[in-house]
Amino acid sequence: MSGHPSCRRFSEEEIVRIKDMNKAGIAPRQILSSLRQNNPNLLAVSRTLYNVKAKIRKDSLGGRTMIQALMDELDENGFKYSVEHDCEGHLTHLFFTYPISIALTKSYSTVFVMDCTYKTNKYKMPLLDIIGVSSFNSCFYSCFAFLQKEGEKDYIWALSMFRNLLGVSCQPSVIVCDKEFTLINAIKVVFPSTTNLLCVWHIEKNIVAKCKSHFEEGEDWDTFLSNWTCVRNSVSESKYHEALQYFESRYKEKGVLLNYIRSTWLPLKELFVVAWIEKCIHFGNHATSRAEGAHGILKKYLQVSTGDLSMVKDRICLAIKNQFQEIKAQLSSEKINVPRHFKIPLFKDLVTYVSVFALEELFKQYKKSKFDIELLACKGHFSATMGLPCSHKIRSLESEVLDLVDINQQWRLDMRSFSEYET
C-alpha cells in the first residue's frame, strides 16, 4: 500500500501538528518520528512531509512574493528594519532586529561583538551578526544584517542602521571584531569615538598558520609563542617596547617572519596589546568567540543553508525568544537567590542587586585583598576594564562594605526587569 501516494497522505490532525512543529523549528526527521509514535501505521515518507511543508509555505505567502511576505511580517510583528534595493528592484541589504532584542540592546549598550557568518540562506548573502553581553556575562542577539557583499560601504550602511537603533545617548564604548579591514574602517566612520578591539584568538590562529613552518623543533616554536605572548601582554608602553626589542633581536635571522609580524600586526598594536586595550571598559571581551558560538547556535536553528530570507528570519526569532527567556528567568532568579559564600559584610549592599558573575569577580578580588600579604602595584586595569572595585580598593575600604555606586551599570540587576516584554 505504501507504493500508492494516496495512502501516504497525512490526516488533517497530522497536518495541524506538522504546522505547529514546523513553526517551532523542529527538523523534518524528528517531525516524522513524532508522527509515527502516535500512528505506528503511518505510511508517509520524507518526500510526503516536504511536499506538505512546501504547501504550507505557499499558502502562507497568499499570492505574495517572498520579499513582500517578509516585509509584511516584519511590519506586523513590530520589527525595526531597513532595506536597500538595486536599480532593478532586487533586495541587496536587509537590517532587522526583534522588539525584545531592542530592549536588551539598549539596556546593555556598552560592548558588542561583530562578525559575519555564511551559509545561512539560499541567496548566499553574508549575515552580519551583532552580539551583545548581558549582566550574567552571557551573550544575546542584538540585530542582524543581510549584506550584498562584505565591502566597506555595505558595513557602513549596516552600522549606520545600528547606530540609529541605539540612539544618540547609547553609543557603544567597545566593538570587538576580526582583522577585517572593511569592517574596521566602517567602525571608524560610523562610531569614531568607540574603541575597536581585535580578536586575540584569531591573531594567535593567524600567527600559528604563518609562522610555525619557520621552526623545526617544537620547543623552539613554544619559545617563540611565549615571547610573542610577552609582547602582546605588555602592561605599559615602555614594557611593550622592551618586549618587542627583545623579540626582534631574538628572531632577527628570521627576516620573513619578522616582516610578517611588523607589517601585519604591529601597526594594529593599539587594538590588541594589553597596554592599550586594558584602558577601556570591555568587561573581559577581547575575542569574537561569543560571535562564533552564537553562529553555531543559530545554524542549529536554521538546520539548512538553503532557506529563503523569511524562513531564516523565523528561525532567528525562535533563537532570540529562547535566549531572551533564559536571560529574563536568570534576572528574576538572581534577584531572590543568593549563593551562601556571598553572605559576607562586604557584599551586604550588593546581593540581589548585582549579578552573580560580577559578585564572583569581586569575591576573587576580596580574597586577594584578604590573603595576599603584599599586593602587586595597582595598575588600574581590573577596574578600568570590568567596572568593578579591585583588590586595592577593597583593602582600603574603611567601612568594609562596597557601595552600589562603585558597580558599573552593566552588572546591576536592580536597574532592569524586562517584565513588560513577552515572548
Side-chain angles (χ1 to χ4, degrees), residues 289-359:
S289 52
R290 290 186 184 278
E292 301 290 345
H295 295 340
I297 293 171
L298 187 60
K299 287 181 178 179
K300 287 180 181 178
Y301 277 91
L302 294 177
Q303 299 172 12
V304 295
S305 61
T306 55
D308 58 43
L309 298 186
S310 184
M311 186 276 279
V312 174
K313 182 271 298 179
D314 289 341
R315 298 299 171 82
I316 285 175
C317 287
L318 288 177
I320 290 172
K321 288 177 180 179
N322 290 337
Q323 193 180 65
F324 177 74
Q325 193 58 40
E326 293 286 339
I327 291 175
K328 190 176 168 183
Q330 189 168 3
L331 180 63
S332 299
S333 175
E334 293 193 6
K335 283 183 177 181
I336 59 176
N337 297 317
V338 183
R340 184 176 298 175
H341 62 288
F342 294 150
K343 294 180 178 180
I344 56 178
L346 182 71
F347 293 162
K348 184 183 69 172
D349 295 338
L350 304 187
V351 290
T352 72
Y353 294 97
V354 176
S355 73
V356 168
F357 174 82
L359 291 176

Side-chain angles (χ1 to χ4, degrees), residues 67 70-71 74 81-96 125 145-149 153-161 164 309:
I67 297 298
L70 175 60
M71 295 300 107
L74 292 174
Y81 70 95
S82 297
V83 294
E84 287 280 307
H85 299 86
D86 61 18
C87 57
E88 297 178 354
H90 298 145
L91 185 144
T92 58
H93 300 77
L94 170 62
F95 174 93
F96 66 97
M125 297 176 75
F146 287 106
L147 306 176
Q148 187 177 39
K149 58 183 180 180
K153 290 183 179 179
D154 302 89
Y155 281 128
I156 288 176
W157 178 85
L159 294 183
S160 296
M161 299 302 106
N164 295 340
L309 298 186

Side-chain angles (χ1 to χ4, degrees), residues 85-198:
H85 299 86
D86 61 18
C87 57
E88 297 178 354
H90 298 145
L91 185 144
T92 58
H93 300 77
L94 170 62
F95 174 93
F96 66 97
T97 183
Y98 201 56
I100 54 180
S101 290
I102 298 174
L104 290 171
T105 299
K106 291 189 174 182
S107 184
Y108 302 110
S109 60
T110 304
V111 177
F112 292 96
V113 181
M114 298 184 181
D115 192 22
C116 262
T117 185
Y118 314 93
K119 296 182 180 179
T120 62
N121 59 91
K122 66 180 181 181
Y123 308 105
K124 298 181 180 180
M125 297 176 75
L127 177 63
L128 176 63
D129 191 358
I130 300 179
I131 304 297
V133 183
S134 74
S135 297
F136 320 105
N137 200 41
S138 61
C139 64
F140 63 87
Y141 296 107
S142 172
C143 50
F144 300 87
F146 287 106
L147 306 176
Q148 187 177 39
K149 58 183 180 180
E150 294 178 88
E152 188 172 327
K153 290 183 179 179
D154 302 89
Y155 281 128
I156 288 176
W157 178 85
L159 294 183
S160 296
M161 299 302 106
F162 181 52
R163 180 188 60 197
N164 295 340
L165 172 70
L166 287 169
V168 178
S169 61
C170 293
Q171 299 302 291
S173 296
V174 169
I175 294 176
V176 186
C177 67
D178 297 341
K179 190 178 76 67
E180 190 172 348
F181 286 114
T182 50
L183 178 54
I184 291 172
N185 292 336
I187 292 171
K188 290 178 182 178
V189 171
V190 182
F191 296 108
S193 60
T194 296
T195 301
N196 184 197
L197 301 184
L198 285 186

Side-chain angles (χ1 to χ4, degrees), residues 259-275:
N259 286 336
Y260 164 72
I261 295 290
R262 287 168 179 162
S263 61
T264 305
W265 299 114
L266 296 188
L268 303 172
K269 61 183 182 297
E270 292 90 351
L271 308 187
F272 67 90
V273 174
V274 167

Side-chain angles (χ1 to χ4, degrees), residues 72-81 97-100 102:
D72 290 343
E73 290 169 8
L74 292 174
D75 281 325
E76 292 167 4
N77 293 288
F79 280 80
K80 293 288 185 182
Y81 70 95
T97 183
Y98 201 56
I100 54 180
I102 298 174

